[in-house]
């Protein structure tokens, strides 16, 4: 591509200031909601040992088989750009001995994730997720709490989404059910899509995800995992539901809900927005009681979710509010007053006022126009005299000193 036009890589995008404001507000809102419920923010690396995802997410999943950005570093180690967060959080929980802390350990984070998917609206190769996880207890109130917190974040972001809910039971139930489902799929083999048929042995549950008409017809008669849950898992699920009802959090049971990762046990859920077309999932998650142990830690239950920042903003019906705080624009009426104007801008900023000054050689008239464009509430004109103009009322008055100007604008 020598001499070709350089562009952002396929499936990626640049965040420009207008978008950045909405993203920042979503992250701030999430921090408020999650920290208010005792979740502490964490950061883990954006790349990890490839083995973490192979073991954690599951060898037979789409993510591990097709979607990982894997590379070798200069020391010959296989590394992977993280495709999801839970495996990394569990690794950190084990590595830092967090099982010795009072349980549950509640963590939240946000950051970039990477999947080699076919890009389309709402589906990117680098995207941003908000995540919340609670490790160290299998109390159903954690499942319900996490769901309610995500519902609150979505609601306060102006996203209308339906909550789909189911339970996958425990590993043994799933293994037994897997055999039953396997037999059903073998019996209907000729009706299935090639892709589903190829995965009858490795990942039969994914047959429920298929859009293929023959597969869908065969799956409509398939045995359901929800009917096979053992007594404990049935009680756990009933409690999660009762807690959601208590919180006034509406849900729809969807027993075909199969999340694309292998580690889920018991509760699974997804928030779907009808405003998004094909990529309707704005966020989802579930319980993963065996994952920490599988990654070499002590037996530790866990539950969590991930929500897509870009999808939330796409589905959001909230109008973007103007930025907070007073905006002052400092007009330099005489070139040799630039130093004083620069000092004034800094004083305004130090006093907590959003302030800008002329920095592109505009005429006096051009500067007044620019003040209007940036939405300034006040203009301070620095020339032979010092004047403050209130842009709403149009009133303009002289002030005696820079301190008085800061005072007049900040009020
Ligand atoms: P998942 O881990 O697949 O359940 O994804 C959790 C959330 O992340 C989804 O509900 C989406 O909002 C978001 N997400 C997942 N994959 C992508 C992607 N390729 N592009 C944008 N958002 C994504």
């Amino acid at each position: 591509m020598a001499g070709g036009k350089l562009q952002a890589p396929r499936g990626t995008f640049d965040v420009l200031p207008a978008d950045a404001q909405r993203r920042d507000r979503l992250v701030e809102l999430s921090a408020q909601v999650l920290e208010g419920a005792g979740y502490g923010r964490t950061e883990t690396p954006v790349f990890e040992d490839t083995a973490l995802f192979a073991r954690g997410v599951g060898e037979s999943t789409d993510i591990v088989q097709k979607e990982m950005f894997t590379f070798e570093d200069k020391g010959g180690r296989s590394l992977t750009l993280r495709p999801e967060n839970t495996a990394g959080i569990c690794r950190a929980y084990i590595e830092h001995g967090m099982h010795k802390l009072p349980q549950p350990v509640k963590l939240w984070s946000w950051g970039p994730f990477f999947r080699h998917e076919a890009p389309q609206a709402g589906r990117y190769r680098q995207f941003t997720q908000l995540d919340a996880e609670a490790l160290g207890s299998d109390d159903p109130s954690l499942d319900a709490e996490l769901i309610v917190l995500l519902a609150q974040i979505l609601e306060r972001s102006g996203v209308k989404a339906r909550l789909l809910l189911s339970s996958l039971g425990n590993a043994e139930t799933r293994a037994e059910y897997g055999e039953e489902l396997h037999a059903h799929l073998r019996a209907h083999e000729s009706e299935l899509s090639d892709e589903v048929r190829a995965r009858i042995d490795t990942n039969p549950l994914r047959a429920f995800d298929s859009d293929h008409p023959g597969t869908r017809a065969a799956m409509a008669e398939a045995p359901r995992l929800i009917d096979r849950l053992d007594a404990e898992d049935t009680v756990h699920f009933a409690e999660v539901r009762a807690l959601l009802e208590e919180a006034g959090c509406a849900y729809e049971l969807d027993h075909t809900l199969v999340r694309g990762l292998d580690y889920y046990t018991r509760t699974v859920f997804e928030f779907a927005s009808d405003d998004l077309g094909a990529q309707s999932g704005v966020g989802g998650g579930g319980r993963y009681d065996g994952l920490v142990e599988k990654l070499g830690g002590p037996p530790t239950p866990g539950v969590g979710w991930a929500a897509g920042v870009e999808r939330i903003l796409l589905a959001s019906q909230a109008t973007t509010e103007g930025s907070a705080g007073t905006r002052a624009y400092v007009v330099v009426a005489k070139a040799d007053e630039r130093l004083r104007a620069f000092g004034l801008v800094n004083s305004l900023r130090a006093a907590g006022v959003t302030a800008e000054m002329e920095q592109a050689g505009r005429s006096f008239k051009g500067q007044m126009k620019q003040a209007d464009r940036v939405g300034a509430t006040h203009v301070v004109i620095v020339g032979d005299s010092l004047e403050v103009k209130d842009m709403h009322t149009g009133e303009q008055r002289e002030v005696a000193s820079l301190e008085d100007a800061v005072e007049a604008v900040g009020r």
Side-chain angles (χ1 to χ4, degrees):
M1 283 269 281
K5 213 169 22 164
L6 286 172
Q7 290 183 324
R10 191 165 148 73
T12 69
F13 54 86
D14 299 307
V15 176
L16 302 180
D19 250 353
Q21 273 195 0
R22 297 184 74 211
R23 294 165 70 89
D24 289 347
R25 268 201 294 277
L26 174 55
V27 172
E28 278 161 30
L29 162 71
S30 307
Q32 228 178 54
V33 169
L34 294 167
E35 299 203 351
Y39 290 73
R41 198 172 74 80
T42 50
E43 287 180 31
T44 58
V46 296
F47 57 84
E48 298 263 7
D49 278 345
T50 302
L52 173 68
F53 303 115
R55 269 161 78 187
V57 177
E59 294 278 10
S60 67
T61 59
D62 275 356
I63 290 183
V64 172
Q65 288 205 338
K66 304 194 248 179
E67 296 171 3
M68 297 209 300
F69 283 94
T70 297
F71 60 98
E72 226 173 63
D73 74 0
K74 291 192 165 61
R77 285 169 285 259
S78 179
L79 298 171
T80 294
L81 297 182
R82 59 183 185 183
E84 61 95 58
N85 205 40
T86 309
I89 290 288
C90 290
R91 192 233 354 104
Y93 179 89
I94 300 167
E95 191 167 331
H96 301 284
M98 287 194 241
H99 60 281
K100 294 189 204 119
L101 301 173
Q103 307 292 304
V105 173
K106 297 178 170 187
L107 306 170
W108 82 278
S109 60
W110 70 277
F113 291 84
F114 307 85
R115 292 183 195 173
H116 200 283
E117 297 192 87
Q120 60 181 85
R123 191 159 79 191
Y124 312 101
R125 290 184 174 175
Q126 175 176 340
F127 54 99
T128 316
Q129 279 186 344
L130 291 161
D131 284 88
E133 319 277 345
L135 290 114
S137 165
D138 68 355
D139 195 289
S141 69
L142 288 169
D143 308 50
E145 169 179 286
L146 278 159
I147 292 172
V148 169
L149 292 173
L150 180 51
Q152 274 173 11
I153 291 171
L154 293 175
E155 193 188 328
R156 287 177 57 183
S157 312
V159 174
K160 286 204 186 71
R162 293 178 294 125
L163 167 60
L164 310 175
L165 182 72
S166 190
S167 174
L168 300 178
N170 58 43
E172 287 103 84
T173 314
R174 265 175 88 173
E176 279 166 30
Y177 169 75
E179 282 172 26
E180 197 182 343
L181 182 63
H182 187 262
H184 177 83
L185 292 173
R186 283 280 174 236
H188 292 78
E189 210 170 325
S190 60
E191 301 154 45
L192 306 175
S193 73
D194 292 345
E195 203 189 352
V196 169
R197 199 177 314 122
R199 282 198 290 190
I200 292 182
D201 293 325
T202 52
N203 203 348
L205 273 177
R206 295 306 302 274
F208 284 108
D209 274 352
S210 174
D211 294 329
H212 176 258
T215 306
R216 289 187 72 90
M219 296 319 286
E221 294 161 26
R224 300 190 318 166
L225 178 54
I226 194 76
D227 302 322
R228 303 289 185 269
L229 300 193
D230 72 11
E232 255 183 81
D233 292 341
T234 305
V235 169
H236 192 275
F237 190 45
E239 283 185 34
V240 172
R241 292 170 55 180
L243 288 159
L244 288 175
E245 282 154 29
E246 176 64 31
C249 187
Y251 61 86
E252 297 166 28
L253 293 177
D254 180 351
H255 299 310
T256 65
L257 190 61
V258 181
R259 314 246 329 127
L261 308 117
D262 270 0
Y263 51 61
Y264 287 113
T265 54
R266 293 189 163 174
T267 315
V268 283
F269 60 91
E270 192 159 295
F271 284 88
S273 162
D274 296 329
D275 299 322
L276 283 182
Q279 304 303 314
S280 64
V282 282
R287 185 162 274 290
Y288 45 87
D289 289 345
L291 183 58
V292 171
E293 198 176 358
K294 195 165 169 192
L295 296 175
T300 309
V303 55
W305 51 251
V309 166
E310 291 79 22
R311 296 245 184 111
I312 291 177
L313 294 177
L314 276 174
S316 167
Q317 279 143 16
T319 48
T320 316
E321 310 137 29
S323 69
T326 315
R327 281 184 91 91
Y329 194 84
V330 176
V331 166
V332 189
K334 263 179 84 185
D336 50 5
E337 294 298 342
R338 281 188 71 75
L339 272 181
R340 210 150 66 104
F342 188 70
L344 175 60
V345 166
N346 288 319
S347 307
L348 285 164
R349 290 177 186 158
V353 175
T354 310
E356 286 178 72
M357 69 178 278
E358 172 51 26
Q359 289 169 313
R362 287 186 183 83
S363 67
F364 182 83
K365 218 171 123 195
Q367 293 183 53
M368 292 306 286
K369 226 190 229 166
Q370 179 65 6
D372 235 5
R373 254 186 238 128
V374 302
T377 59
H378 292 79
V379 170
V380 185
I381 302 162
V382 186
D384 288 332
S385 61
L386 200 54
E387 304 200 8
V388 175
K389 179 173 184 183
D390 182 320
M391 297 295 272
H392 293 312
T393 61
E395 186 200 335
Q396 185 168 332
R397 66 186 175 93
E398 192 173 333
V399 290
S401 64
L402 292 180
E403 292 75 45
D404 289 352
V406 173
E407 236 261 337
V409 172
R411 235 182 309 124

